[in-house]
Amino acid sequence: MVELKNEQISIVVAEMGAELQSVKDSKGREYLWQADPEFWPRHSPILFPIVCSVNDDTYVVDGKEYHLPRHGFARDTEFTLVAKTDDKLTFALHESEETLKVYPYRFNLAITYRLEGNKVHVIWHVENTDMQEIHFQIGGHPAFNIPGGKMEGKIKLDNEEPMDSLRSYIDGSHDMVEVPLEGDKGVLELTNHFFRNDSVKIHKCQTHRAMLMDTNGEPAVTVDYKAPVCAFWSPYDKHAPFVCIEPWYGIGDPRGWKGEFRDKPLMNHLLPGASFMSKYTITIG
């Protein structure tokens, strides 16, 4: 575990998965879900090199089958702390004999956490160190405590116009079919019923900010993102006191989808020597 703090905020990050473990304000109040296994035993996993699932945990590269579990291998792989300053931590992961068995590309993946006042900037950097083009997806899965301690609250989005989400199913699958987003002027009501079809996936860059409101209607946590997809999730029928706000550069295989990995919906591509960088930002209060 590695800790970083300033006068307004403190964080803890584990080298396993480069996963954020804690986000506290200067008064010691915890904002990140603390991984109670009764509900969900994670805090904020890194999703790489896939987001969600490939059908039957199987995908095809140049006609050859490979197998990956849901959300890929990064979240369950040890990263290395490669840099630490007064306001920044950087963790790195590159290919190994084990990753090449399930993902046939060479890469460098760096995850940086940078503090700025009451903000945590989560920065992703993917570099292609292979001799061929590589294909990947990446996403965040941070879980935040719902103010009041129960599955009852609101998220306010930055878009008040009617929006669409992808048609999803309780088994975690989806179709690339748009259905009206359940919300009024960008306000999502957090109830158990809201998650009856697993996660709610808003795509096509319809929103770039999500504010989890406290019991007084003020922002408790704000997440800003540039990603084309943002998903919202809490385990259905568990009435868990947390919600995940998930910026994604990618999405799982639609139901029945078959084809080459590179042709998956919302796939990212890097030529040899090229790199990808993006981030999302968590603001407390």
Side-chain angles (χ1 to χ4, degrees), residues 170 192-198 233-239:
I170 191 59
N192 182 60
H193 185 72
F194 187 70
F195 298 106
R196 67 193 182 278
N197 293 319
D198 196 64
W233 177 79
S234 194
Y236 178 64
D237 256 0
K238 290 191 175 183
H239 301 274

Side-chain angles (χ1 to χ4, degrees), residues 65-86:
E65 287 190 350
Y66 294 86
H67 305 281
L68 277 173
R70 186 173 180 82
H71 292 318
F73 55 74
R75 64 181 184 168
D76 295 314
T77 305
E78 191 90 7
F79 282 65
T80 300
L81 178 65
V82 294
K84 181 179 181 181
T85 67
D86 290 342

